[in-house]
Amino acid sequence: MIIVKLKKDKEKKIKNGYLWIFKDEIFEITGEKKDGEICNVFSSNFEFIGKGIFSKSSNITVKILSLNDEDINEDFFYKKFFKALKIRTNFGNSYRFFHAEADGIPGLIIDKYEKFLVVQFRNKGVENKKSEILSALIRVFKEDIKGIYERSDFETSSQENLDRNTGLLYGENPPDRFIIEEEGIKYIVDIKNGQKTGFFFDQRKNRVYIRQFSKDAIGLDAYSYTGGFALNMAKYGAKKVVAVDKDEYALELLKENAKLNGVEIETVYDDVEHYLDNTEYQFNLMMLDPPSLIKKKTERLKGVQIFKKISELGIKKLDNYGILSLCSCAYQADISLLIEALRRSVENEGIMLQSLDIITQSNDHPWILQIPESLYLKCFWVRVIK
């Protein structure tokens, strides 16, 4: 057993709900230092603080699982899963079922697609507990699921020597493609080969929000993936919708999604910046939802420059009074960074950016006030007045 003793007063934040312990907050570590092992954490006065996942390879040395002295076993996971299911009653049959720290287990992501679960094990601790996690999931869902599939082939900078497994873990193999429905729109999903686990459930609120601006619009869905925003624009009355992405396979699924929903969408395989530089279209509704661009606090200045350039190009192609949404899916690219990027994108242009709304991730991706890092998705909606 690994024992972690904290420096003086470093237990206070844990008791208040912030569950990460950094290297420089630790006084002493005893026991064999192995990535993914369960450790006991004590204060400087030897008060028991909690149990967590130990990582010698990360600046975040411990991620707390429980403030109680309890076994981290199948029953522990069952209780976490039961609680997660209880607060997800209004999302239909497809949604994020478990969202890592925000649901109490760092590094564990589980998405539900109709009768199938797709799981990611994102640290060595949850990877080590895979069998207990699977048993607990089967207990919670019983006959409500047909199969559990693993998609742990994500990109990471972790040095924990994680397995990059994909494949069936339990029950039936999911079909290569199947259809889910979200807020009245159908999507073809490929959970085996698509990005992340196949679909971006976190943008649900923004996909609904864009509908109010869609009637008679000429809309652009930039970084479109399989067309979540494009489909909503087209379904809710847009005159023309263009979707741009560099993922050819995603664009093929987008075309199938358009047929499935009885709408027309022009798809363009291109780099978004190159497209905006060269298109002759003028839009009055635009979604800019780039992939995660910055990972570290030290990259914030670079992030402002990147978002500024994207916004500048987009605003040039927007009509007067057009609606623009700029999204960030990185914690470090926060609201203040988006505001700065947008403000600087229209410097000396005599353009006013009127704030309409700031919308965060869907409620099946909860964020915890005591864990700022759990708020990662922000979309800033503005009206561009030229």
Side-chain angles (χ1 to χ4, degrees), residues 72-343:
I72 309 301
N73 55 19
E74 180 184 324
D75 285 339
F76 170 82
F77 294 115
Y78 175 82
K79 287 184 285 186
K80 293 286 188 184
F81 296 153
F82 185 81
K83 186 183 295 184
L85 187 60
K86 197 169 184 179
I87 62 174
R88 288 170 169 84
T89 57
N90 299 313
F91 296 101
N93 295 319
S94 300
Y95 51 87
R96 173 145 296 180
F97 162 66
F98 204 88
H99 190 53
E101 278 89 348
D103 281 305
I105 304 175
L108 183 64
I109 298 292
I110 306 172
D111 286 337
K112 183 177 183 292
Y113 294 93
E114 300 293 327
K115 292 280 189 177
F116 292 90
L117 300 179
V118 184
V119 185
Q120 285 188 344
F121 301 96
R122 300 182 68 91
N123 64 48
K124 201 68 179 175
V126 290
E127 186 181 272
N128 290 345
K129 295 290 184 178
K130 185 182 291 189
S131 62
E132 292 98 323
I133 288 169
L134 288 176
S135 296
L137 283 172
I138 294 164
R139 280 174 61 191
V140 168
F141 283 97
K142 299 176 184 175
E143 69 278 0
D144 288 338
I145 58 165
K146 293 181 178 179
I148 303 174
Y149 194 84
E150 181 174 1
R151 280 293 307 272
S152 296
D153 54 341
F154 53 90
E155 293 182 14
T156 180
S157 57
S158 170
Q159 300 176 18
E160 288 189 346
N161 193 31
L162 293 170
D163 292 337
R164 290 290 175 271
N165 292 328
T166 63
L168 186 66
L169 297 176
Y170 165 80
E172 295 180 22
N173 222 331
D176 290 341
R177 297 180 185 181
F178 58 94
I179 296 170
I180 66 170
E181 185 169 329
E182 179 195 84
E183 305 293 344
I185 292 183
K186 294 177 180 178
Y187 300 88
I188 299 168
V189 176
D190 183 346
I191 64 175
K192 296 178 182 178
N193 302 297
Q195 295 177 27
K196 304 294 184 180
T197 69
F199 190 70
F200 293 92
F201 288 119
D202 54 1
Q203 283 283 21
R204 180 190 297 252
K205 289 193 290 188
N206 284 294
R207 283 190 286 266
V208 172
Y209 188 80
I210 206 169
R211 295 175 177 180
Q212 66 188 291
F213 307 114
S214 295
K215 185 171 175 55
D216 297 326
I218 299 173
L220 174 66
D221 183 0
Y223 312 96
S224 63
Y225 188 46
T226 58
F229 291 104
L231 289 164
N232 278 275
M233 285 188 248
K235 195 74 173 177
Y236 280 80
K239 289 190 293 188
K240 184 174 187 62
V241 180
V242 180
V244 182
D245 205 284
K246 284 280 286 182
D247 185 336
E248 282 187 286
Y249 179 59
L251 289 177
E252 288 304 312
L253 287 182
L254 193 160
K255 291 174 185 177
E256 294 183 38
N257 283 332
K259 289 179 183 177
L260 182 65
N261 289 279
V263 297
E264 291 187 10
I265 297 171
E266 179 182 332
T267 59
V268 179
Y269 173 73
D270 200 355
D271 175 78
V272 168
E273 292 182 19
H274 180 266
Y275 174 80
L276 288 170
D277 251 339
N278 292 277
T279 184
E280 295 181 357
Y281 287 134
Q282 280 293 123
F283 301 94
N284 48 32
L285 179 58
M286 185 178 295
M287 166 54 70
L288 299 177
D289 183 21
S292 182
L293 297 172
I294 64 173
K295 307 290 185 183
K296 304 173 185 175
K297 190 174 182 179
T298 54
E299 297 176 333
R300 282 179 59 86
L301 181 59
K302 181 182 80 171
V304 169
Q305 295 300 323
I306 293 171
F307 280 107
K308 172 184 176 289
K309 185 176 182 182
I310 295 168
S311 302
E312 195 171 42
L313 290 170
I315 289 169
K316 285 179 181 177
K317 297 298 180 179
L318 263 181
D319 286 341
N320 194 16
Y321 300 105
I323 305 298
L324 172 73
S325 180
L326 179 66
C327 294
S328 164
C329 58
Y331 163 69
Q332 294 295 349
D334 57 15
I335 293 296
S336 62
L337 185 147
L338 294 183
I339 291 173
E340 178 70 2
L342 282 165
R343 185 186 63 77

